[in-house]
Amino acid sequence: MVILTNLMRLEWKKLKQKSIVGEVVIYPLILMFLPVYFIEAVSPDFGKDYATVIELNMFIQMGFILFGGSLINQVFIDEYKNKTISLAFRYPISRKKLFTAKILFIGLFVFLLTMISYMLTGIATYIVDQVHPIIQGDLTSFDLLTFFSQMVFRSLIITLMSFVPLFYFGICKRATIPTVICAIVVMQSHFVSMINLNFDLILTVLTILGVVSIVLSITTAEKFGEI
C-alpha cells in the first residue's frame, strides 16, 4: 500500500501540473452554473422540482469523463510517446503494480473532483434559487438524501466510465485523439434517451466496460506494457 501511495505521488509530480490545475479550476466553475442556465435558457421543465434538478446535475457532472480522458493521455499515452515510461519500468516493482498505481491515481482524482463539483453545483443552484426562484416546490429532506447518495454513487459511476478508453485506445493503441473522442462519446451517452434507449441500461453497460478496461489494463500489463 505504501508503494502504491508513493507511486501515485510520483504520478502527480510527472503531470503537466499547470494544465491540470487549470482544468481542476475551470471544470467546476463552468459546471456549477449549468443547471441554472438549462432552467433559464433551455427549458423551465428542468426546474419543475428539486428531484429533476438533481437528475440534471448528474448529467452535467458526466463532463468529468472527458477530464478522465485527459488524465489517461498524460499518465499513459504521453509517457509512451516521450519514452519516459521506460524509466518507470526499471523500478524494482512489477508492471502490474505500476499500472495499478496509475489507474488508482486517475480514478481517485476523477472521483474526488466529481464529488466536489457535484457539491458546488448543488450549493450554487440552491443559492441562486433562494435569490431568484427558478425551481418549483421546496427542498425536502428526501431531496437532500437523494442528492448526497447520488453524489457518491454517481461520482463512482462517472469515474468507472471514464476508464472506457483506457485499455484499447490508451494502452494498446496509445492514441491521443481517439481516446478523447471515445471519452466525448461516453460523456454524451445521456442522449440515448432521445432514441428511446434505456439510459440506466446504457450507464450499466458503460460502467461494466470501464471495469473491464481497468482489469484488462492491469492483467495484461506485462504484455501490453512494452514500449
Side-chain angles (χ1 to χ4, degrees):
M1 189 63 186
V2 175
I3 294 176
L4 288 177
T5 301
N6 290 334
L7 287 172
M8 290 168 67
R9 288 175 181 169
L10 182 61
E11 291 302 327
W12 166 248
K13 292 179 180 179
K14 290 190 293 183
L15 288 180
K16 300 172 184 175
Q17 294 186 8
K18 289 184 178 180
S19 171
I20 292 297
V21 170
E23 290 186 60
V24 167
V25 173
I26 291 173
Y27 270 77
L29 281 178
I30 293 176
L31 299 184
M32 67 189 293
F33 294 108
L34 280 183
V36 174
Y37 169 78
F38 275 99
I39 294 170
E40 292 276 49
V42 179
S43 172
D45 287 343
F46 287 116
K48 64 182 181 180
D49 53 37
Y50 272 95
T52 303
V53 178
I54 290 171
E55 193 68 19
L56 173 63
N57 192 11
M58 189 276 291
F59 293 140
I60 289 172
Q61 301 310 320
M62 288 178 71
F64 283 101
I65 292 172
L66 185 57
F67 178 68
S70 175
L71 287 178
I72 290 172
N73 278 325
Q74 288 202 40
V75 173
F76 281 96
I77 300 175
D78 283 356
E79 284 207 23
Y80 275 114
K81 290 183 176 180
N82 298 331
K83 305 295 183 180
T84 54
I85 200 168
S86 61
L87 296 176
F89 287 162
R90 296 175 186 173
Y91 298 159
I93 56 173
S94 68
R95 295 184 183 182
K96 288 184 178 181
K97 187 167 290 187
L98 176 65
F99 276 34
T100 299
K102 287 177 176 290
I103 290 169
L104 284 174
F105 174 77
I106 294 172
L108 187 61
F109 210 147
V110 174
F111 179 74
L112 291 178
L113 193 55
T114 305
M115 288 266 288
I116 291 170
S117 177
Y118 217 108
M119 178 64 75
L120 290 176
T121 304
I123 292 173
T125 305
Y126 179 76
I127 291 175
V128 170
D129 183 55
Q130 297 308 298
V131 177
H132 173 61
I134 56 175
I135 303 173
Q136 300 175 33
D138 298 322
L139 181 64
T140 66
S141 56
F142 180 76
D143 290 328
L144 286 173
L145 179 62
T146 301
F147 175 81
F148 285 110
S149 61
Q150 284 203 9
M151 181 176 70
V152 177
F153 180 66
R154 298 293 192 179
S155 294
L156 178 60
I157 287 178
I158 289 170
T159 300
L160 293 174
M161 288 171 62
S162 71
F163 283 107
V164 170
L166 174 63
F167 177 67
Y168 185 73
F169 294 114
I171 294 177
C172 295
K173 297 298 182 181
R174 301 159 193 176
T176 299
I177 295 178
T179 296
V180 173
I181 292 175
C182 181
I184 292 174
V185 171
V186 174
M187 182 181 72
Q188 300 295 332
S189 58
H190 57 277
F191 284 116
V192 297
S193 59
M194 298 175 63
I195 53 177
N196 296 322
L197 289 179
N198 187 292
F199 177 63
D200 289 335
L201 176 61
I202 298 300
L203 276 186
T204 301
V205 171
L206 290 174
T207 301
I208 293 173
L209 286 177
V211 173
V212 170
S213 180
I214 291 172
V215 172
L216 288 175
S217 298
I218 294 173
T219 56
T220 63
E222 300 298 335
K223 177 181 179 181
F224 289 102
E226 297 294 338
I227 298 199

